[in-house]
Amino acid sequence: MYQDLMQIPRDISIVDLKDYKNKFNNLDNYFTPYADNPYFIINENGNKWNEDRVIPSINLDYQFTDWLSISYRVGADIANAQLQDWGAIAKTTPGSINNLRGRNDVVGRVNERTTLDYQINHDVLLNADFNIGNFKLISLVGYNVNEQFYRELYSYVSNLNVVGFYNLSNSSENPHSSTYERKKRLYGLYLQEELSYKEWIFLTLSARNDWSSTLPKNNNSFFYPGASLSLLFSELIPSIKNVVPYAKLRLSHTLTGNDPSPYRVSSVYTPASIYAYFGTINFPIAGVNAFEIGNTIGNSKLQPEISTEDEAGIELKLLNNRVGIDFAVYNRKTTDQIMTVPLAPSSGYTFQVMNIGSIQNRGTELLLTLVPLKTDNFSWTIGLNHSINRSKVLELSEQLEEGGVLLNNAYDIDFVAKVGRPLGIIEGPDYKRDPQGRIIVNDQGIPVAATNKTEYGTTEAKYRMGIKNEISYKGLTVGGNVEIRQGGVMYTYTADINYFVGNATQTTFNDRQPFLVPNSVKEIVDAEGKVVGYEENTTPIDMEHICDYYNNNTNRPMSRGTVVDRSYIKLRDLYISYELPKKWTSKLSLSRVNIGIIGHNLLLWTPKENNFVDPESSTWQGDLESEFGEFAVGPSIRSVSLSLKITY
Amino acid sequence: MKKILLYFTTLAVLYLTSCSESWLDVNTDPNNPTSVQPELVLPAAEMSLASQISVNYNIAGSMWAQFWTQNPTSNQYKQYDAYDIKPTTLDNEWRELYSGTLKELQRIKEESKSSEEWRLYLIAATLQAYTLQYLADLYDQIPYTEALKAEDGIMSPHYDNAQTVYDGIINDLNFALSKDLSSFTAPIDGDFVFKGDVQRWVQFANTLKLRIYLRQWKVRQSVAQAGIQELFNSNAEFLTTDAKLDVFVDQKGKGNPLYESDRRELNTKINIRASQTFIAFLTSNNDTDERIAYYFERGSSGEFKGNRQGDFNIPITADEANKISLARILATDPVYLMSAAESYFLQAEARYRLNASSAEVKTLYDNGVLAAFNRFGLNGSRHITGTGKYVFDTDNPLQSIITQKWAALAGINGMEAYLEHLRTGIPKRSNVDVTDSNYVPGEFTHPVQSVLPKGQFPRRLVFPDSERKSNPNTPAEVSVTTPTWWQ
């Protein structure tokens, strides 16, 4: 529906379309046959979703002796859901304007989906504490068992008979039904030893080994240890306490392991469902059922993903605890990252789940807390956090070397991982130029794309920053958070569709009067089709061609407009709260009463080139895929809420 | 209370200690089988091929062969009509043909070879040869010897020249045809084309060989001549009936693939209009009484009217646009892999090339025209006798044969019609506009919105994006105006 909204021209009032049965706004006469009146969709289409979710947990502890105990924890998250989704019949009257424009009839549909989704986790922990003089040893041995399960039953019909009746019986077609199930199991053994001297030095050593159902059977175990050390200098060297009441240094070296999703090891056949451009051919056909070879090839050599992280941090409190500094530096290397990688179709498959080499993430995190003013009744606190993360693809497996790995894409824009570059560069078409750098246009005066795509930028931020301010006076507290992100680019489909329909401000260039693409030439070709020279371009972008100029299908280098700077400054929240004085609350036999008002996402500033979307929006799932950008995401939400907290 | 706890912990301990290798053995996909007999894969492979060649290959080919043109008030197929070919053009079809059609046919060939099910092998080999010839014709270099071998670790196949592919598919067809097929009589329901009829598959394979040999007549005449001579010497049989999939019904997901895509699922169904080139041809040849009504629908003013090729940016109203005839596409239309008409025209040309008598060539030609009309249940004999406009021209046999083949393929095998134009130059390309008094009806006009300059037209496609992105062995880009090996 958001797509239908975005395609409405600026001179048509959206709110005046509300009466969608009115003769000017109805299916027959809506201003275009290519989109729907959004109010029709809101009112006539819909869905109903019910979910029952139970999150039980049981903890049992048994103390053997004063230093040895055992505990057992089991927890689950069980969700049962039913979804019913329907689309109304939408047909135009024969002879009406949209019917003459060829608007296709929508025959209506009903989908039903029932799902069961649960996770159960067990931990058995054996704890032992030893005290020897000033040394203390806390020892832990654990056994973890985890199961994740998902099952769905899905059924739909289309081509409904009775208007407004959304039930699987309402069609002359048989319902199409399918099921899907997914199960994953893991068990692990782990050990953790924490040795401390007085309260000054802490040394922790840990080790874990997991066995997973989703790795190849002959190689399904993986091990990952870790170590960390922290030193409380302010206790070790008490003399510094005058200046630095608190100083702690911490160092750590930790490994973590991750297994893949289920069913990636073997190749399978799938029930045949054949691509026919906008159509799909489904079996059975003429009473015959069929299976096709699945498009993803299995990987019998799949390895777990192992991350190694080194971190060093220092925490200081200065000036009578008025200044707090927490600074950390880290270097994380992930090897054998598990990703679904596109394959060349001529190999016979289009995807494979692979371990793709190694990726590094290095950075800093800083948290600064200042209390400039503090009296008995009044205090002002400022918090500042700043982080930098620099990623780099260190190596990819041999086969992926040259072109890099395609992480995600939309139309002509690719999101790739290339060796030596940050993890996530966005590439797209570039102008094809002659040896003098002039833009080459085709016979219609529209720019042509060069063979190789060029890098438009990386998705990585230069830095992120947050500023928090809070002032309190007696019971009144006022505060707010500002967040800043600088650097990086993202793909936005919102820009794409707005260019296409002419709603983007960029399309008003030259007041839409005819113009020649600046500094452009046409190729001169001989009878064989070979380029023998260049001549000045004299074909303007006129009314006949302006749509082709802004459409990045016909003018591929125009795709650059769909990738924008994703920097922003946001007023994340602003709040005022008041805690009623004790003398009032005690009269009501209440312990505390606090009322407040808080606004979220109040203000957003973006660079001039991004007058399209909130850079934090995304529509894709998965951490890495969603870094790419958004695809017709709706506007983000600004909210204001009131709160009342009463403590008895 | 303690007793309950004791029971509980005992159960828990028992459960937890049952963890073992077998408890982890749950990684077999319950949603998809790992092994399926080839008779259940064949229908998927056939439908996959049918869907790729009848939708976008057909639409692009029919616009390039000037049967169809893009509707001026919408824009779904503009890029084809404007000769605007990019790496993403027909890329999805490449993906489906390689990872779907060819992969499945390869698996069927491997399994039927080891079980000596030679009929299945012939069917798979014929359909594979059919597909590979199209890909070789359109791209001039395609993965072949190293293709479809991901299980052997070949993820980035090198590309072979079209000539290598042509030789390879002829060898495979000959191998398949050399086998004893007499024992295979039970019908195969999953074979939508011929239900496993051995004689028809042999005919199809032989006719396909004719197409393969004739395509290389200009560039390797000796090979072509020897091949065709061999077919005639061995009294090879050719198709007398259509090789088609005629199994579609008017139900979502089960209709003709072109209908499903262009008429049922797209948001408007008026994208494909008649080209003035073809309408002019039919009109000037008194061919507007019978079969034109099967090719096109009447415009809103009751006439069969075409629009100038590639003239889709004219600012006209919906009413004016509706006066232009729409292409006639029904949900129940079959998908034709090779029509009987095409078979006769291939034989006619082959006989002509091998210096058969004029009478023999004419008989085959006449059968072709009659078969073209008979596809609609019509009798075309008045066109090839007396003052009929399609009477065989003994001075110009090739002109007659290829022109009638072109008209017979309209709307069903547009890409084949265009490839034959590239090979033979028939129909000719005109220097003038369709409205010019010197215009010869049926000659190709330069599309108004063509992105290529006048006199230039596509001779091939560019290597697909999905290969460029994932296969470092994809060859360097070649311009679409560069002729391929047999042009």
Side-chain angles (χ1 to χ4, degrees):
Chain A
M1 187 195 79
Y2 192 57
Q3 293 218 33
D4 295 290
L5 271 174
M6 287 196 283
Q7 294 186 71
I8 299 179
R10 301 294 292 118
D11 56 343
I12 290 184
S13 161
I14 298 176
V15 291
D16 286 346
L17 298 169
K18 189 163 176 191
D19 181 6
Y20 63 92
K21 293 187 179 153
N22 163 310
K23 68 181 173 196
F24 296 106
N25 304 330
N26 63 12
L27 292 164
D28 284 347
N29 300 314
Y30 189 62
F31 76 91
T32 174
Y34 306 116
D36 291 313
N37 184 333
Y39 289 99
F40 179 91
I41 299 177
I42 294 173
N43 290 297
E44 297 291 331
N45 297 353
N47 58 57
K48 239 183 349 203
W49 187 62
N50 270 321
E51 186 183 65
D52 295 316
R53 197 161 173 193
V54 179
I55 308 181
S57 71
I58 300 175
N59 282 15
L60 294 172
D61 295 291
Y62 184 75
Q63 197 87 26
F64 288 115
T65 68
D66 58 353
W67 54 269
L68 185 67
S69 66
I70 190 167
S71 54
Y72 169 60
R73 284 199 281 270
V74 58
D77 185 344
I78 307 169
N80 264 304
Q82 292 88 43
L83 171 71
Q84 193 203 40
D85 190 293
W86 61 89
I89 299 172
K91 296 188 176 168
T92 48
T93 315
S96 66
I97 184 65
N98 277 332
N99 181 272
L100 288 177
R101 284 171 177 159
R103 189 206 145 102
N104 225 338
D105 288 338
V106 174
V107 294
R109 60 174 174 80
V110 181
N111 319 338
E112 294 270 350
R113 176 160 50 204
T114 308
T115 57
L116 169 63
D117 195 350
Y118 71 75
Q119 183 172 170
I120 301 183
N121 198 62
H122 311 254
D123 278 289
V124 178
L125 301 150
L126 191 65
N127 298 287
D129 294 342
F130 304 99
N131 289 316
I132 312 164
N134 284 324
F135 287 93
K136 192 165 163 188
L137 178 67
I138 301 177
S139 192
L140 174 70
V141 175
Y143 176 53
N144 169 257
V145 173
N146 181 288
E147 177 172 305
Q148 295 170 33
F149 181 80
Y150 176 82
R151 191 167 217 279
E152 84 173 30
L153 174 63
Y154 181 70
S155 192
Y156 76 90
V157 284
S158 63
N159 208 350
L160 304 180
N161 302 132
V162 178
V163 173
F165 178 52
Y166 299 111
N167 185 290
L168 291 175
S169 63
N170 190 16
S171 173
S172 49
E173 288 171 17
N174 286 324
H176 310 257
S177 303
S178 65
T179 60
Y180 179 73
E181 183 181 301
R182 190 175 63 224
K183 190 190 282 191
K184 185 172 187 282
R185 284 178 173 170
L186 179 143
Y187 65 89
L189 275 171
Y190 53 96
L191 170 73
Q192 184 176 292
E193 305 291 327
E194 183 188 285
L195 179 66
S196 61
Y197 177 72
K198 294 203 178 171
E199 293 289 312
W200 304 346
I201 303 176
F202 293 83
L203 174 68
T204 310
L205 297 168
S206 62
R208 180 167 175 147
N209 198 84
D210 281 341
W211 288 264
S212 164
S213 69
T214 61
L215 288 166
K217 279 191 224 178
N218 53 0
N219 200 3
N220 62 2
S221 139
F222 54 106
F223 176 72
Y224 46 103
S228 74
L229 175 70
S230 60
L231 298 164
L232 199 57
F233 276 108
S234 47
E235 296 300 323
L236 212 53
I237 312 169
S239 50
I240 66 172
K241 269 195 181 173
N242 301 334
V243 182
V244 185
Y246 186 89
K248 179 159 110 177
L249 172 72
R250 53 175 199 276
L251 300 163
S252 70
H253 175 83
T254 358
L255 275 74
T256 42
N258 224 356
D259 52 0
S261 331
Y263 317 140
R264 300 284 190 233
V265 174
S266 311
S267 306
V268 293
Y269 291 78
T270 58
S273 178
I274 312 286
Y275 161 78
Y277 194 39
F278 272 79
T280 311
I281 306 297
N282 288 314
F283 281 80
I285 300 270
V288 171
N289 199 9
F291 286 85
E292 51 181 328
I293 299 181
N295 282 334
T296 305
I297 186 173
N299 187 343
S300 57
K301 300 207 183 66
L302 212 49
Q303 308 258 42
E305 198 177 278
I306 306 279
S307 263
T308 309
E309 180 165 345
D310 293 309
E311 183 174 327
I314 187 159
E315 202 180 320
L316 298 169
K317 289 215 192 335
L318 307 166
L319 298 177
N320 207 16
N321 285 327
R322 286 291 193 94
V323 175
I325 303 173
D326 192 338
F327 179 71
V329 150
Y330 62 89
N331 181 353
R332 182 171 64 245
K333 187 167 151 186
T334 306
T335 53
D336 292 323
Q337 190 139 354
I338 299 169
M339 296 199 62
T340 305
V341 167
L343 292 178
S346 55
S347 71
Y349 293 90
T350 51
F351 288 103
Q352 179 170 46
V353 179
M354 289 176 83
N355 300 108
I356 63 163
S358 74
I359 290 155
Q360 174 189 80
N361 274 285
R362 287 205 265 208
T364 61
E365 276 165 3
L366 170 67
L367 176 62
L368 198 61
T369 324
L370 300 169
V371 186
L373 247 65
K374 191 174 169 72
T375 67
D376 285 339
N377 289 327
F378 181 85
S379 79
W380 174 24
T381 314
I382 303 175
L384 188 85
N385 63 68
H386 182 275
S387 64
I388 296 176
N389 185 68
R390 293 279 177 268
S391 64
K392 187 151 93 159
V393 179
L394 294 176
E395 78 180 65
L396 295 172
S397 67
E398 227 176 87
Q399 162 208 334
L400 302 169
E401 269 308 311
E402 230 182 87
V405 175
L406 183 68
L407 304 167
N408 202 346
N409 77 312
Y411 305 114
D412 250 332
I413 308 291
D414 296 332
F415 183 44
V416 292
K418 277 195 171 150
V419 174
R421 304 288 295 127
L423 184 56
I425 59 177
I426 294 188
E427 294 184 333
D430 195 10
Y431 287 100
K432 186 173 180 189
R433 293 176 191 271
D434 74 354
Q436 291 174 269
R438 298 178 294 187
I439 292 178
I440 296 175
V441 297
N442 63 27
D443 208 53
Q444 301 295 331
I446 309 273
V448 173
T451 313
N452 292 324
K453 292 191 177 169
T454 183
E455 185 176 313
Y456 286 168
T458 139
T459 53
E460 197 168 76
K462 283 211 174 67
Y463 66 82
R464 288 173 201 263
M465 214 159 88
I467 305 166
K468 180 192 167 93
N469 251 307
E470 189 174 273
I471 295 176
S472 61
Y473 176 67
K474 296 199 181 167
L476 182 71
T477 309
V478 175
N481 277 293
V482 169
E483 262 179 42
I484 302 171
R485 182 211 155 106
Q486 178 60 42
V489 296
M490 66 185 280
Y491 168 75
T492 158
Y493 174 77
T494 304
D496 202 319
I497 189 85
N498 277 293
Y499 269 82
F500 176 62
V501 296
N503 273 342
T505 51
Q506 291 83 346
T507 63
T508 58
F509 173 71
N510 199 39
D511 283 337
R512 295 193 178 156
Q513 296 304 303
F515 64 93
L516 284 167
V517 173
N519 201 22
S520 54
V521 291
K522 281 190 184 171
E523 288 172 335
I524 305 172
V525 288
D526 65 8
E528 287 280 292
K530 278 212 180 66
V531 177
V532 294
Y534 301 95
E535 60 184 0
E536 189 184 328
N537 170 34
T538 54
T539 307
I541 308 296
D542 52 9
M543 189 182 109
E544 204 179 306
H545 293 97
I546 192 167
C547 292
D548 289 341
Y549 183 71
Y550 287 112
N551 177 349
N552 57 45
N553 233 328
T554 35
N555 178 2
R556 293 178 62 213
M558 187 58 70
S559 304
R560 184 61 184 84
T562 62
V563 175
V564 298
D565 186 333
R566 71 198 301 167
S567 308
Y568 62 81
I569 300 177
K570 276 190 177 179
L571 179 55
R572 179 71 75 191
D573 52 52
L574 202 56
Y575 52 90
I576 304 173
S577 73
Y578 181 62
E579 180 140 335
L580 293 179
K582 294 275 186 210
K583 54 185 188 204
W584 296 6
T585 55
S586 58
K587 282 201 185 141
L588 299 163
S589 311
L590 297 168
S591 168
R592 290 174 62 187
V593 176
N594 188 305
I595 50 174
I597 178 169
I598 181 166
H600 293 285
N601 288 335
L602 296 172
L603 292 172
L604 168 66
W605 290 272
T606 56
K608 207 162 66 162
E609 78 175 35
N610 178 13
N611 52 357
F612 298 105
V613 282
D614 177 346
E616 286 192 301
S617 349
S618 178
T619 39
W620 281 286
Q621 305 253 5
D623 289 327
L624 196 50
E625 291 86 338
S626 59
E627 267 300 285
F628 180 41
E630 64 85 20
F631 200 96
V633 73
S636 50
I637 297 171
R638 174 192 291 155
S639 64
V640 175
S641 47
L642 298 168
S643 80
L644 172 66
K645 280 187 255 196
I646 300 176
T647 317
Y648 292 89
Chain B
M1 187 62 186
K2 270 203 174 155
K3 259 198 176 166
I4 297 171
L5 282 175
L6 192 62
Y7 284 141
F8 183 77
T9 26
T10 317
L11 282 171
V13 165
L14 282 174
Y15 172 73
L16 294 173
T17 50
S18 70
C19 291
S20 60
E21 284 308 311
S22 60
W23 184 76
L24 285 179
D25 190 4
V26 292
N27 207 30
T28 306
D29 189 341
N31 308 298
N32 299 305
T34 41
S35 169
V36 173
Q37 57 269 42
E39 288 84 355
L40 282 178
V41 179
L42 180 65
E46 289 190 352
M47 195 55 74
S48 171
L49 173 60
S51 300
Q52 305 326 299
I53 65 151
S54 64
V55 188
N56 280 337
Y57 273 158
N58 186 26
I59 296 172
S62 293
M63 288 192 176
W64 297 342
Q66 307 211 357
F67 306 124
W68 293 346
T69 183
Q70 169 65 43
N71 171 43
T73 56
S74 56
N75 58 18
Q76 194 64 40
Y77 309 116
K78 263 162 68 158
Q79 57 163 346
Y80 301 137
D81 214 3
Y83 293 162
D84 193 5
I85 296 168
K86 306 171 278 233
T88 46
T89 307
L90 298 170
D91 182 26
N92 283 334
E93 282 69 22
W94 169 286
R95 287 166 58 103
E96 179 60 32
L97 283 174
Y98 265 101
S99 68
T101 313
L102 289 172
K103 177 68 185 167
E104 281 141 25
L105 292 172
Q106 186 67 20
R107 178 74 55 87
I108 294 171
K109 267 174 47 178
E110 285 161 8
E111 290 175 353
S112 56
K113 191 170 184 187
S114 50
S115 62
E116 300 198 346
E117 223 289 27
W118 297 116
R119 174 176 51 164
L120 262 183
Y121 188 93
L122 173 64
I123 296 174
T126 308
L127 294 172
Q128 230 191 26
Y130 180 98
T131 310
L132 286 165
Q133 187 194 7
Y134 267 123
L135 289 168
D137 287 343
L138 290 170
Y139 292 94
D140 210 33
Q141 283 178 75
I142 59 169
Y144 176 60
T145 46
E146 289 187 4
L148 310 172
K149 294 194 160 95
E151 283 92 348
D152 299 330
I154 304 183
M155 305 312 202
S156 306
H158 286 88
Y159 280 53
D160 292 288
N161 287 328
Q163 184 175 310
T164 310
V165 179
Y166 266 58
D167 288 339
I169 58 183
I170 289 284
N171 282 341
D172 200 26
L173 285 172
N174 286 338
F175 173 76
L177 288 166
S178 70
K179 298 295 172 190
D180 178 13
L181 303 159
S182 51
S183 59
F184 302 104
T185 49
I188 304 179
D189 286 326
D191 171 19
F192 293 129
V193 184
F194 292 131
K195 278 211 165 7
D197 184 332
V198 166
Q199 188 194 20
R200 300 236 181 278
W201 276 105
V202 170
Q203 288 173 349
F204 189 12
N206 287 332
T207 321
L208 185 60
K209 280 170 75 174
L210 272 186
R211 187 201 264 183
I212 295 169
Y213 286 127
L214 284 171
R215 201 91 98 201
Q216 47 187 322
W217 188 268
K218 197 160 79 177
V219 69
R220 279 204 309 183
Q221 188 173 323
S222 52
V223 170
Q225 190 159 341
I228 298 174
Q229 191 66 64
E230 156 94 56
L231 281 166
F232 291 152
N233 289 347
S234 59
N235 291 319
E237 284 186 10
F238 305 103
L239 283 175
T240 52
T241 55
D242 304 313
K244 65 185 176 188
L245 285 85
D246 194 0
V247 291
F248 302 109
V249 296
D250 189 359
Q251 199 184 84
K252 180 177 160 110
K254 307 208 190 272
N256 172 298
L258 178 59
Y259 180 87
E260 288 299 304
S261 180
D262 188 66
R263 296 292 156 97
R264 198 194 298 283
E265 298 296 338
L266 269 183
N267 55 5
T268 58
K269 38 191 175 184
I270 56 169
N271 278 297
I272 303 178
R273 299 274 188 195
S275 165
Q276 206 160 327
T277 306
F278 193 45
I279 297 285
F281 171 83
L282 293 171
T283 311
S284 73
N285 288 316
N286 297 332
D287 195 355
T288 51
D289 288 336
E290 318 101 339
R291 67 175 173 173
I292 195 173
Y294 288 89
Y295 284 143
F296 300 112
E297 297 173 16
R298 289 179 188 277
S300 53
S301 354
E303 301 174 326
F304 290 107
K305 183 172 180 277
N307 198 37
R308 217 158 30 153
Q309 191 69 43
D311 199 7
F312 49 75
N313 270 352
I314 42 169
I316 62 174
T317 61
D319 271 342
E320 281 299 308
N322 284 335
K323 291 189 179 150
I324 312 168
S325 294
L326 273 179
R328 186 171 182 275
I329 300 169
L330 302 181
T332 47
D333 280 346
V335 170
Y336 291 88
L337 297 179
M338 190 183 280
S339 56
E342 188 185 340
S343 169
Y344 285 118
F345 290 125
L346 285 169
Q347 293 172 63
E349 185 185 345
R351 288 288 177 190
Y352 163 71
R353 298 285 188 188
L354 261 58
N355 302 315
S357 70
S358 221
E360 203 180 336
V361 179
K362 177 177 181 322
T363 309
L364 288 165
Y365 166 86
D366 284 349
N367 282 339
V369 177
L370 291 173
F373 278 80
N374 193 37
R375 181 156 75 83
F376 310 116
L378 299 169
N379 186 333
S381 47
R382 73 173 176 91
H383 297 277
I384 47 174
T385 49
T387 54
K389 294 285 191 167
Y390 298 149
V391 169
F392 182 68
D393 185 350
T394 43
D395 295 325
N396 239 327
L398 207 56
Q399 181 73 23
S400 290
I401 296 168
I402 304 296
T403 306
Q404 286 309 309
K405 186 162 77 166
W406 170 75
L409 293 175
I412 53 166
N413 292 119
M415 192 55 87
E416 179 63 26
Y418 188 66
L419 289 168
E420 288 292 84
H421 157 79
L422 286 175
R423 173 173 76 93
T424 62
I426 300 166
K428 280 223 267 293
R429 300 200 91 99
S430 175
N431 282 327
V432 300
D433 186 67
V434 71
T435 50
D436 190 291
S437 53
N438 288 327
Y439 174 68
V440 176
E443 289 192 355
F444 289 177
T445 57
H446 183 74
V448 176
Q449 291 299 326
S450 165
V451 301
L452 300 174
K454 191 139 186 267
Q456 296 297 322
F457 46 89
R459 295 180 177 277
R460 64 189 302 146
L461 301 175
V462 294
F463 295 114
D465 201 37
S466 58
E467 288 285 315
R468 179 73 59 203
K469 285 206 256 254
S470 310
N471 184 352
N473 293 320
T474 310
E477 189 172 283
V478 178
S479 143
V480 299
T481 49
T482 308
T484 61
W485 74 300
W486 46 254
Q487 287 182 37

